[in-house]
Amino acid sequence: MNDLAIHLTEEKGKRLYEQIYEYIADEIREGKLLAGEKLPSTRSLADYLQVARSTVELAYDQLQSEGYIESVPCRGYFICRVEELYRFGKAGGSGTKERKEQEGKERRSPAGAEKRFDIDFSPNAIDMNLFPFGTWRKITRDILSGDRKELFALGEPRGDLELRRTVCRYLHASRGVNASPEQIIVGAGNDYLLLLLQYILGRQITAAFENPSYRRAFRIFSSFAERTVIVPSDESGIRADGLLAAGADVAYVMPSRQFPTGTVMPIGRRTELLRWASAAPGRYLVEDDYDSEFRYRGKPIPSLQSSDTAGRVIYIGTFSKSVAPAIRISFMVLPEGLLEAYEKNCGFFSSTVSRIDQSILNEFILSGAFERHLNRMRKAYREKHDLLLECLQPLLDRFRLSGEYAGLHMLLTSRGPGREEELMERAAACGVRIYGLREAAPAPFEADCATVLLGYGGLSPEKIKEGVRRLDRAL
Amino acid sequence: MNDLAIHLTEEKGKRLYEQIYEYIADEIREGKLLAGEKLPSTRSLADYLQVARSTVELAYDQLQSEGYIESVPCRGYFICRVEELYRFGKAGGSGTKERKEQEGKERRSPAGAEKRFDIDFSPNAIDMNLFPFGTWRKITRDILSGDRKELFALGEPRGDLELRRTVCRYLHASRGVNASPEQIIVGAGNDYLLLLLQYILGRQITAAFENPSYRRAFRIFSSFAERTVIVPSDESGIRADGLLAAGADVAYVMPSRQFPTGTVMPIGRRTELLRWASAAPGRYLVEDDYDSEFRYRGKPIPSLQSSDTAGRVIYIGTFSKSVAPAIRISFMVLPEGLLEAYEKNCGFFSSTVSRIDQSILNEFILSGAFERHLNRMRKAYREKHDLLLECLQPLLDRFRLSGEYAGLHMLLTSRGPGREEELMERAAACGVRIYGLREAAPAPFEADCATVLLGYGGLSPEKIKEGVRRLDRAL
């Protein structure tokens, strides 16, 4: 394995680590490096190529983040099974491109979709049948009829003050978030807001993720952070001692309900994380509160931000799940200490959300329509949740259930050893699509048992029943 | 001057160049370094501080880009007059913040706006009085009434195929742009699309600008590019030999009408630039075609992209000027050779524009309403242009006129020596706001005469007449 014949060139625009990354990725894709083979250590490859060890580490990180290789603690780096890979940009032809775009759309489910499925348990799907289109239309009409020409002018970079005030009140009431409107940045989607963090936190950071986690966020941080690392987690979530050991500056967490595991972070771990963050300057927790609205049992869990007295939590929320994915309005709550960096480094970027859309959303919330809609959706999702839970009973001899009572998906874990790919294949053979836990993982990980995700947000009761019937036979 | 007592620390999250930058910036703001003083050379300061020369260069670049210092060829770096500075983030208080947000809104006119003006010759203002609100409302209503629930789902990352097809046809017909819909990336504003370039071109680039240029673009490139340089320009625009000498990878140009000078790049210079770009791999021209729709004399000037046979032009256009600033829909045409990098590095970012807004714009164009609107606006702006031209005649003994016959502003240059600040102050004293050429400049530059910008897009005929009457008396 030490004979990787990588020829590094001073070619313009291509960095050394990229050359190493591309060489190994090509070798894997072409089958020259086989699944299970061990890669040379970063130290020995760096020696061999006469480059800095950090260069090789960067290449390995990239390969790992894209699922080409996996790291096994104390043993080294190993080639992954390439069939599981999700490829970009290599295959030509416009058909392929269109399909790739389709794939890119699926938030939190990056698996390819070559096959047609009768029933798709996508954890990202939401139910648009109950969306109050009539109300939305009416608000839109009223706003456009009001001859408010100023709405067609460019708004404030952070978002319109009215909407920021409304978001503040909503967040305080529903999630305990403490913020002034000044701390709110409205942007066109979470991806955009995460991109802004490179200007607010800088790129010289080590960003930590648990594994599995929200892969899209991992990829975005990887696109700018000096280092993106996987930190150990346990049943309470990401570990504070792991953050310390990894030298992390920023940790990306979903305390209210981790995606994809569904874990709710207990108060003890929250305190540990907040303590970690406030123990040294420059440490921040990015709290993605992506579907906190949907909780079917017990009291709502307050946000991590609400317990943050040291100004170390960056809170991110979205209206994509609670209103509609097309709305493209997300928001970020910055601690006061980061406002200066925001102003200086990216405060001049024009707003990415039209003022008309901001006004519509603002009115949707202020009129009470949003609250009514949320309550209606919570009820509808709870019914689907309860139905799925009931239907799954016959499978519980073979699987353990987790992640229930909140969100829009639950997880099944095989009681014996198993591979999630096999479960997915068997489900696919009878027209049902389920999602592997490893698919959602930024980096490969070892697991004795197989875990799959079953989302129910977008399925009718009939589809849920029929889907589980088929799964019961197939798995 | 060699006694800059900069104490560099290994402080986390603060890079060496930032420390140097901040130290010098503070000294200038506090008046400890005075206008006209010479800074040590990058070499000698690097020796003194025991850091790499590139670190000092980075700090000086930053200081220069923010207007703290200026570079005089063959002589060195000098402190600028600090009153001209535009400051961010230092002053506290929410009132200040709000005002700063207001300032940030003003595209292409970064000057502060403490005073109230009766008449504002802003070069960014557009005339919204003629916007077909009724048509827009009707299209919006039709689209929302169509029960097209798919519009509330997340669209393709590049933008909806229908809109991209429409933009392709429009660009081909009006600007000669050759592209397939695959090459079009729709995004929420130019700023966002420029940010994406760090993923498509990488950050290891030298980006070149002429001076003056579009300062916002300069700042965005500065935020990610390894180097951002000012390259000499002449009456034809940015010089190809300058790009070569600077080792530029990317040049930001506005060939149809340079902002703020109004220069139209002649075909000879276009050919030189295209030849420069195709002479080495990794070289690209970013063509910002920001207000090409408005031309009042002679034939429309085709885009640079239309002459590009080597795939080296990245074309950027916006509907902010031609439709409305709030629309937040811009687009970028990537050469085919960059599509792979786009797919791989940022093709997974979710679209920043709502599908509803995309559909409205698409229908606005397809229905012919856009073309009618453009023609109406062209006529309205031409009338304002002609009126301003006529009113300015009495001033032409003292000023030379340039930049007329296109766009939404023209320039007045003093026939004798002068300072633009003085002209602005005298205009302000009689309630009229005009804009200095240097204000629009990414870096300070030397000029014997004073040049000011007079925008007319947002002014009524009465305001134009009254404004020039006052200017005639004041200047």
Side-chain angles (χ1 to χ4, degrees):
Chain A
M1 269 303 302
N2 254 309
D3 57 350
L4 289 175
I6 309 180
H7 299 291
L8 300 177
T9 64
E10 292 284 327
E11 195 189 327
K12 221 171 155 47
K14 184 147 289 181
R15 291 194 270 181
L16 291 174
Y17 92 87
E18 286 176 326
Q19 297 180 41
I20 299 170
Y21 155 79
E22 282 182 7
Y23 180 88
I24 297 177
D26 282 345
E27 294 282 292
I28 295 173
R29 275 196 301 258
E30 290 163 15
K32 292 179 188 161
L33 292 175
L34 295 173
E37 276 192 73
K38 188 167 183 298
L39 279 173
S41 70
T42 53
R43 185 187 300 276
S44 66
L45 185 57
D47 282 351
Y48 174 72
L49 295 173
Q50 294 286 298
V51 297
R53 194 173 165 192
S54 60
T55 303
V56 177
E57 282 171 353
L58 215 54
Y60 279 21
D61 280 354
Q62 180 79 6
L63 288 163
Q64 186 166 332
S65 75
E66 296 183 8
Y68 286 99
I69 66 173
E70 60 187 317
S71 160
V72 179
C74 309
R75 293 196 47 216
Y77 291 90
F78 295 85
I79 312 293
C80 297
R81 282 185 55 222
V82 75
E83 303 93 280
E84 298 163 25
L85 283 177
Y86 187 54
R87 285 195 229 166
F88 279 99
K90 282 287 176 189
S94 76
T96 316
K97 274 172 191 157
E98 293 302 325
R99 181 166 51 74
K100 291 228 171 84
E101 294 190 359
Q102 290 292 335
E103 291 171 9
K105 276 158 49 175
E106 297 170 41
R107 192 175 197 259
R108 298 176 203 261
S109 76
E114 283 81 6
K115 280 194 209 166
R116 281 264 135 250
F117 294 91
D118 301 329
I119 297 161
D120 186 343
F121 282 99
S122 165
N124 319 313
I126 68 166
D127 189 347
M128 283 302 291
N129 288 313
L130 291 169
F131 185 77
F133 291 98
T135 307
W136 193 266
R137 266 198 298 271
K138 188 183 172 314
I139 292 173
T140 304
R141 195 172 55 229
D142 290 351
I143 279 171
L144 287 177
S145 306
D147 214 18
R148 293 172 56 191
K149 284 183 187 152
E150 78 279 8
L151 290 183
F152 286 84
L154 187 54
E156 296 175 26
R158 294 184 210 197
D160 280 2
L161 187 57
E162 286 174 56
L163 177 61
R164 287 186 283 130
R165 280 197 185 120
T166 303
V167 167
C168 265
R169 274 194 301 266
Y170 163 67
L171 285 180
H172 187 72
S174 69
R175 312 286 307 123
V177 168
N178 299 306
S180 74
E182 269 167 20
Q183 292 169 256
I184 310 265
I185 316 292
V186 174
N190 283 21
D191 292 4
Y192 174 70
L193 293 173
L194 291 176
L195 283 179
L196 286 189
L197 288 181
Q198 71 186 290
Y199 292 102
I200 298 167
L201 302 173
R203 298 192 190 99
Q204 310 281 87
I205 55 168
T206 295
F209 283 74
E210 54 205 306
N211 194 23
S213 179
Y214 178 26
R215 187 154 120 151
R216 178 185 289 275
F218 182 87
R219 290 186 70 185
I220 292 173
F221 270 96
S222 303
S223 79
F224 67 78
E226 189 169 87
R227 286 205 315 149
T228 314
V229 294
I230 298 288
V231 158
S233 55
D234 55 27
E235 67 289 347
S236 299
I238 200 164
R239 293 177 57 107
D241 56 0
L243 294 175
L244 202 62
D249 304 298
V250 180
Y252 183 91
V253 291
M254 295 166 272
S256 304
R257 178 173 158 86
Q258 207 268 357
F259 188 91
T261 62
T263 304
V264 176
M265 191 181 286
I267 183 72
R269 181 58 48 86
R270 289 170 186 240
T271 311
E272 282 168 36
L273 292 185
L274 290 169
R275 205 178 295 138
W276 165 81
S278 54
R283 287 188 189 161
Y284 291 95
L285 293 156
V286 176
E287 175 178 25
D288 182 355
D289 209 25
Y290 70 105
D291 71 354
S292 58
E293 289 88 357
F294 304 122
R295 204 163 167 74
Y296 317 120
R297 181 185 275 189
K299 277 196 261 185
I301 297 155
S303 65
L304 183 64
Q305 203 268 5
S306 68
S307 314
D308 172 31
T309 52
R312 298 314 183 98
V313 172
I314 298 165
Y315 178 95
I316 294 186
T318 176
F319 292 99
S320 292
K321 293 246 166 191
S322 52
V323 178
I327 296 307
R328 312 314 300 136
I329 307 186
S330 293
F331 52 87
M332 176 159 72
V333 182
L334 291 177
E336 283 188 340
L338 289 178
L339 289 178
E340 188 174 322
Y342 165 79
E343 272 289 331
K344 187 175 161 207
N345 303 324
C346 58
F348 67 97
F349 295 173
S350 299
S351 168
T352 46
V353 187
S354 104
R355 297 195 70 187
I356 298 167
D357 293 350
Q358 293 185 54
S359 300
I360 295 170
L361 177 62
N362 187 46
E363 188 55 34
F364 189 68
I365 301 173
L366 286 182
S367 69
F370 180 55
E371 197 178 344
R372 285 194 298 276
H373 174 58
L374 276 185
N375 287 326
R376 203 162 37 226
M377 294 316 296
R378 201 179 284 124
K379 181 168 173 293
Y381 289 143
R382 184 196 289 123
E383 285 166 8
K384 293 183 188 197
H385 166 272
D386 293 350
L387 177 64
L388 177 59
L389 206 56
E390 189 192 315
C391 293
L392 284 175
Q393 294 308 315
L395 282 86
L396 298 191
D397 52 343
R398 286 152 284 163
F399 296 94
R400 274 185 300 111
L401 189 73
S402 61
E404 68 274 37
Y405 305 126
L408 299 173
H409 77 279
M410 39 189 102
L411 300 92
L412 286 179
T413 303
S414 65
R415 291 192 181 272
R419 286 177 46 249
E420 64 182 48
E421 295 77 13
E422 201 186 316
L423 298 181
M424 288 162 68
E425 279 159 26
R426 281 198 260 152
C430 62
V432 178
R433 186 167 183 195
I434 54 178
Y435 294 77
L437 185 65
R438 294 161 60 110
E439 277 190 304
F445 60 91
E446 295 292 311
D448 295 334
C449 327
T451 300
V452 290
L453 277 60
L454 269 68
Y456 46 87
L459 292 177
S460 66
E462 292 68 39
K463 292 267 188 188
I464 291 177
K465 282 187 225 166
E466 175 60 22
V468 179
R469 246 195 308 271
R470 293 192 195 180
L471 287 179
D472 188 23
R473 282 197 303 268
L475 303 184
Chain B
M1 269 301 302
N2 255 307
D3 58 351
L4 290 174
I6 309 180
H7 299 291
L8 299 176
T9 65
E10 292 284 326
E11 194 190 328
K12 222 171 154 45
K14 186 146 288 182
R15 292 194 270 180
L16 291 175
Y17 92 88
E18 286 175 326
Q19 297 180 42
I20 299 170
Y21 154 81
E22 283 181 6
Y23 179 87
I24 297 177
D26 283 344
E27 294 283 290
I28 296 174
R29 276 194 300 258
E30 290 163 15
K32 293 179 189 162
L33 292 175
L34 295 173
E37 276 191 74
K38 189 168 183 297
L39 279 173
S41 70
T42 54
R43 187 187 301 275
S44 66
L45 185 57
D47 282 351
Y48 173 72
L49 295 173
Q50 292 287 299
V51 298
R53 193 174 167 192
S54 60
T55 302
V56 178
E57 283 171 353
L58 215 54
Y60 279 21
D61 280 355
Q62 180 79 6
L63 288 163
Q64 186 167 330
S65 76
E66 296 184 9
Y68 286 99
I69 65 173
E70 61 187 315
S71 160
V72 179
C74 309
R75 292 195 48 217
Y77 291 90
F78 295 84
I79 313 292
C80 297
R81 283 185 53 222
V82 76
E83 305 94 281
E84 298 163 24
L85 283 177
Y86 187 55
R87 284 197 228 166
F88 279 99
K90 282 287 173 188
S94 75
T96 316
K97 275 173 188 156
E98 293 303 324
R99 181 165 51 72
K100 292 231 170 79
E101 293 190 359
Q102 290 294 335
E103 291 172 8
K105 275 159 49 174
E106 296 170 42
R107 191 173 197 262
R108 299 177 202 259
S109 76
E114 283 80 5
K115 282 195 209 167
R116 279 266 136 247
F117 294 91
D118 301 329
I119 297 161
D120 187 342
F121 282 99
S122 165
N124 319 313
I126 67 167
D127 188 347
M128 284 301 292
N129 288 313
L130 290 169
F131 185 77
F133 290 98
T135 307
W136 192 266
R137 267 198 297 273
K138 188 182 173 314
I139 292 173
T140 304
R141 196 172 55 228
D142 290 351
I143 280 172
L144 288 177
S145 307
D147 215 19
R148 292 172 56 191
K149 284 181 188 154
E150 78 278 9
L151 289 184
F152 286 83
L154 186 53
E156 298 175 26
R158 294 185 211 194
D160 281 2
L161 186 57
E162 286 174 56
L163 176 62
R164 287 187 282 129
R165 282 197 185 121
T166 303
V167 167
C168 266
R169 273 193 301 266
Y170 162 67
L171 285 180
H172 188 72
S174 69
R175 311 288 305 125
V177 168
N178 298 307
S180 73
E182 269 166 22
Q183 292 169 258
I184 310 264
I185 317 293
V186 173
N190 283 22
D191 292 4
Y192 174 70
L193 293 173
L194 291 176
L195 282 179
L196 287 189
L197 289 181
Q198 71 185 289
Y199 292 101
I200 298 167
L201 301 173
R203 299 192 190 98
Q204 311 280 89
I205 55 168
T206 295
F209 283 74
E210 54 207 305
N211 194 23
S213 179
Y214 179 27
R215 187 152 120 152
R216 177 184 290 274
F218 182 87
R219 289 186 70 183
I220 292 174
F221 269 96
S222 304
S223 79
F224 66 79
E226 189 169 88
R227 287 205 314 148
T228 313
V229 294
I230 298 288
V231 158
S233 56
D234 54 27
E235 67 289 347
S236 299
I238 200 165
R239 293 176 57 108
D241 56 1
L243 294 175
L244 201 62
D249 303 300
V250 179
Y252 183 89
V253 291
M254 295 166 272
S256 303
R257 178 173 158 85
Q258 207 267 359
F259 188 91
T261 62
T263 304
V264 176
M265 191 181 286
I267 183 71
R269 180 58 49 87
R270 289 170 187 239
T271 310
E272 282 169 36
L273 291 186
L274 289 170
R275 205 178 294 138
W276 164 80
S278 55
R283 287 189 189 160
Y284 291 95
L285 293 155
V286 175
E287 175 179 23
D288 182 355
D289 209 25
Y290 71 104
D291 71 353
S292 57
E293 289 88 356
F294 304 122
R295 204 164 168 75
Y296 316 120
R297 181 185 275 190
K299 275 196 262 187
I301 296 155
S303 66
L304 184 63
Q305 203 268 6
S306 67
S307 315
D308 172 31
T309 52
R312 298 314 184 98
V313 173
I314 298 166
Y315 178 95
I316 294 185
T318 177
F319 291 100
S320 290
K321 292 246 165 190
S322 53
V323 178
I327 295 308
R328 311 314 300 135
I329 306 185
S330 293
F331 53 86
M332 176 159 72
V333 182
L334 291 177
E336 283 188 340
L338 288 177
L339 289 178
E340 189 174 321
Y342 166 78
E343 273 288 332
K344 187 174 161 209
N345 302 326
C346 59
F348 67 98
F349 294 172
S350 298
S351 168
T352 46
V353 188
S354 104
R355 297 194 69 188
I356 299 167
D357 292 350
Q358 293 186 51
S359 299
I360 295 169
L361 177 61
N362 187 47
E363 188 55 33
F364 188 69
I365 301 174
L366 286 182
S367 69
F370 180 54
E371 198 178 343
R372 284 193 299 276
H373 174 58
L374 276 185
N375 287 326
R376 203 161 39 227
M377 293 317 295
R378 201 178 285 125
K379 180 167 173 295
Y381 289 143
R382 184 195 290 123
E383 285 167 8
K384 294 183 187 197
H385 165 272
D386 293 351
L387 176 64
L388 178 60
L389 206 56
E390 190 191 314
C391 294
L392 284 175
Q393 294 308 314
L395 283 86
L396 297 191
D397 53 342
R398 286 151 284 163
F399 296 95
R400 274 184 301 110
L401 188 74
S402 60
E404 68 274 38
Y405 304 127
L408 298 174
H409 77 279
M410 39 188 103
L411 300 93
L412 286 180
T413 303
S414 65
R415 291 191 181 272
R419 285 177 48 250
E420 63 183 47
E421 295 76 14
E422 200 188 317
L423 297 181
M424 289 161 67
E425 279 159 26
R426 280 200 262 153
C430 61
V432 178
R433 186 166 183 198
I434 55 177
Y435 294 77
L437 185 66
R438 294 161 62 110
E439 276 190 305
F445 60 92
E446 295 291 313
D448 295 335
C449 328
T451 301
V452 290
L453 277 60
L454 270 69
Y456 46 86
L459 292 178
S460 66
E462 292 67 38
K463 292 267 187 190
I464 290 177
K465 280 186 226 167
E466 174 62 21
V468 179
R469 245 194 310 270
R470 294 193 195 179
L471 288 180
D472 188 23
R473 282 196 304 268
L475 304 186

